[in-house]
């Protein structure tokens, strides 16, 4: 019996429930709390900077965990860290390539957040008057933050900063296309539900994980 339009819609709904059912986005699945406080937001931003680098995403996750484990769980504390200590922690957590430059970038990023926003990215949001375009602009003015990093950060932050939704990073959109869930962040927002920025963050994060972990066969089963 041929597949009907109704059955295809039901299949998509079931898949969305499966993907978003954990109630956690990408960062939370890997052990990062996504709450609207200075420490959490800064750690998610550091995770985004590390994920944007080429290489195994697990190294990025390990390095992002290594920073607070070393005592640098906020912009203020990372800003006070020594370059050599940052290099050591990053190398010990598996970073490769120009680790010295990465250590510089993270230090510069922390100092900029402290100097411009007193260590609190919620102040950036306030300066932008909750305007998504201005929030993106201010984020890209920070050291080490480009459009890719902004997408990775806002993919998580949209659960809290609802005005930025819908946001979907490149990998989430690749997975969405392959799984027949749409081709844009707007398509995914429609599946998540109107005004459901938190559920959208869970869905988009799950899709990014599917692509990074190559779990397509598991979902097709």
């Amino acid at each position: 019996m041929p597949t009907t339009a109704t059955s295809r819609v039901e299949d998509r709904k079931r898949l969305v429930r499966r993907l978003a059912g954990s109630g956690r986005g990408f960062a939370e699945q890997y052990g990062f709390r996504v709450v609207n406080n200075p420490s959490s937001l800064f750690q998610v931003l550091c995770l985004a900077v590390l994920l944007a680098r080429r290489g195994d995403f697990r190294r990025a996750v390990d390095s992002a965990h290594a920073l607070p484990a070393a005592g640098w769980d906020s912009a203020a504390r990372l800003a006070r860290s020594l370059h050599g200590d940052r290099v050591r922690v990053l190398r010990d957590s598996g970073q490769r390539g120009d680790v010295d430059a990465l250590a510089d970038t993270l230090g510069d990023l922390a100092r900029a957040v402290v100097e411009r926003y007193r260590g609190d990215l919620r102040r950036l949001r306030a300066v932008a008057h909750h305007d998504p375009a201005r929030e993106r602009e201010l984020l890209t003015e920070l050291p080490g933050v480009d459009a890719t990093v902004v997408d990775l950060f806002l993919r998580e932050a949209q659960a809290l900063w609802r005005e930025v939704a819908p946001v979907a990073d490149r990998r989430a959109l690749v997975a969405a296309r392959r799984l027949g869930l749409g081709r844009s962040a707007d398509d995914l927002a429609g599946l998540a539900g109107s005004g459901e920025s938190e559920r959208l963050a869970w869905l988009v994060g799950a899709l990014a994980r599917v692509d990074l972990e190559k779990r397509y066969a598991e979902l097709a089963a």
Side-chain angles (χ1 to χ4, degrees):
M1 183 175 179
T3 302
T4 66
T6 299
S7 66
R8 286 196 298 270
V9 169
E10 290 304 315
D11 286 344
R12 286 196 294 270
K13 287 180 178 179
R14 278 192 292 270
L15 182 53
V16 167
R17 286 195 296 269
R18 184 176 176 185
L19 289 166
S22 69
R24 294 188 293 177
F26 182 96
E28 290 187 332
Q29 288 285 358
Y30 289 106
F32 298 89
R33 294 182 67 220
V34 181
V35 293
N36 202 27
N37 68 43
S39 178
S40 174
L41 291 171
F42 183 70
Q43 288 178 40
V44 172
L45 182 59
C46 287
L47 174 64
V49 170
L50 290 160
L51 285 170
R53 286 168 57 85
R54 299 178 69 176
D56 188 341
F57 79 96
R58 293 175 184 83
R59 289 180 184 169
V61 171
D62 288 345
S63 295
H65 276 300
L67 298 175
W72 309 323
D73 59 353
S74 67
R77 287 178 175 154
L78 185 58
R80 292 194 296 267
S81 66
L82 299 177
H83 172 81
D85 290 338
R86 293 195 300 275
V87 169
R88 174 182 52 78
V89 168
L90 291 168
R91 283 188 175 143
D92 288 350
S93 64
Q95 284 297 317
R96 300 292 183 267
D98 195 345
V99 179
D100 280 279
L102 177 58
D104 276 336
T105 295
L106 291 171
D108 291 343
L109 173 61
R111 285 187 289 273
V113 172
V114 170
E115 291 165 4
R116 300 176 196 179
Y117 305 111
R118 288 185 254 175
D120 188 348
L121 289 169
R122 295 175 303 178
R123 293 182 181 276
L124 178 150
R125 187 186 185 201
V127 169
H129 300 291
H130 293 203
D131 174 37
R134 183 61 177 150
E135 287 166 355
R136 283 180 171 272
E137 183 181 354
L138 291 175
L139 283 166
T140 57
E141 290 176 1
L142 293 170
V145 178
D146 59 13
T148 298
V149 173
V150 171
D151 279 343
L152 292 170
F153 173 71
L154 294 182
R155 176 185 70 193
E156 310 299 322
Q158 67 185 326
L160 308 167
W161 298 5
R162 295 173 182 259
E163 70 274 6
V164 304
V167 179
D169 64 296
R170 180 181 63 84
R171 286 193 177 275
L173 292 176
V174 167
R177 286 193 291 270
R178 287 189 60 172
L179 294 170
L181 295 179
R183 305 181 65 85
S184 69
D186 286 328
D187 290 339
L188 295 175
L191 292 171
S194 177
E196 292 287 344
S197 65
E198 187 175 45
R199 191 161 187 258
L200 174 61
W202 300 341
L203 173 60
V204 172
L207 286 168
R209 289 183 64 220
V210 167
D211 191 63
L212 283 164
E213 298 174 1
K214 306 305 178 192
R215 291 170 46 227
Y216 292 103
E218 170 192 325
L219 290 172

